[in-house]
Amino acid sequence: EQVFLSIFNGKTPAMWLANSYPSLKPLGGYTNDLIERLKFFQTWIDTGIPITFWISGIYFTQAFTTGASQNFARKYTIPIDTLAFDFEMPEEQHPKEKPENGVYCYGVFLEGCKWDWDKWELTESDPKVLYVPVPLLWIVPCKKVELAEFPSYECPLYKVSTRKGVLSTTGHSTNFV
């Protein structure tokens, strides 16, 4: 009965969300998002590893990023616990081939600031604009001792904008990437 009432009211049923990826979207948006996720993975199955990954469409992003680290560690035969991630926003926003190391990802959004496409840096957000897309993100595994030092802004990445989650057995929030 609760499922029927939720669907009737255009809300995503709680029963579905209990066994699904986190989402704050109403039923129509949730359904569209689910279809896009299925298309993304079906394309991956049909055509092989993609050049760019829709990171916000991946349910367990921590496993995905761990996989990127494992691939790097195996390739260079170095211990995975000596690795960290560096992040770049390549100016080529539509790459034709995969990077030699790491992964290209899209589907990340900024809140409270925006990306200046001319200066290629963060800047103040426009009035009344809450969320803006991040440029293509290159997640690059590297040795912790080789991390590049430069002026940067360290910010958290969440799966949904509520910034809250449940503490998992690893001690991390289920909403934190």
Side-chain angles (χ1 to χ4, degrees):
E1 187 175 327
Q2 288 300 319
V3 171
F4 172 79
L5 288 173
S6 293
I7 292 172
F8 181 77
N9 291 319
K11 296 181 179 178
T12 306
M15 179 187 290
W16 294 4
L17 291 172
N19 297 293
S20 173
Y21 54 88
S23 179
L24 301 175
K25 296 180 179 181
L27 182 60
Y30 176 88
T31 304
N32 290 339
D33 188 61
L34 177 61
I35 291 168
E36 289 303 312
R37 287 169 187 256
L38 294 173
K39 285 181 188 175
F40 171 75
F41 286 110
Q42 191 62 55
T43 302
W44 188 343
I45 291 167
D46 294 343
T47 62
I49 298 171
I51 294 171
T52 60
F53 293 88
W54 181 29
I55 195 164
S56 54
I58 296 173
Y59 176 74
F60 190 35
T61 48
Q62 294 89 335
F64 174 74
T65 55
T66 298
S69 290
Q70 288 173 330
N71 289 341
F72 184 86
R74 288 181 186 132
K75 180 177 180 179
Y76 297 104
T77 58
I78 54 177
I80 195 169
D81 60 346
T82 64
L83 300 179
F85 286 114
D86 206 347
F87 303 91
E88 295 183 27
M89 273 74 160
E91 292 199 27
E92 172 55 54
Q93 289 293 290
H94 304 285
K96 303 290 185 249
E97 55 187 46
K98 295 177 237 175
E100 186 174 329
N101 294 310
V103 288
Y104 291 132
C105 297
Y106 62 94
V108 178
F109 292 84
L110 294 169
E111 178 182 5
C113 62
K114 72 174 183 180
W115 187 256
D116 185 320
W117 293 90
D118 296 321
K119 294 180 181 177
W120 212 250
E121 64 185 17
L122 291 175
T123 188
E124 294 291 325
S125 59
D126 292 329
K128 300 181 183 180
V129 178
L130 295 178
Y131 305 102
V132 295
V134 171
L136 183 72
L137 180 65
W138 182 14
I139 301 175
V140 188
C142 63
K143 292 181 182 178
K144 290 177 186 175
V145 295
E146 295 175 358
L147 270 174
E149 298 252 348
F150 56 90
S152 62
Y153 173 67
E154 291 189 29
C155 65
L157 179 61
Y158 296 100
K159 294 179 184 179
V160 292
S161 62
T162 55
R163 300 183 188 165
K164 66 178 184 177
V166 178
L167 283 182
S168 65
T169 55
T170 62
H172 294 93
S173 169
T174 55
N175 190 27
F176 183 72
V177 177

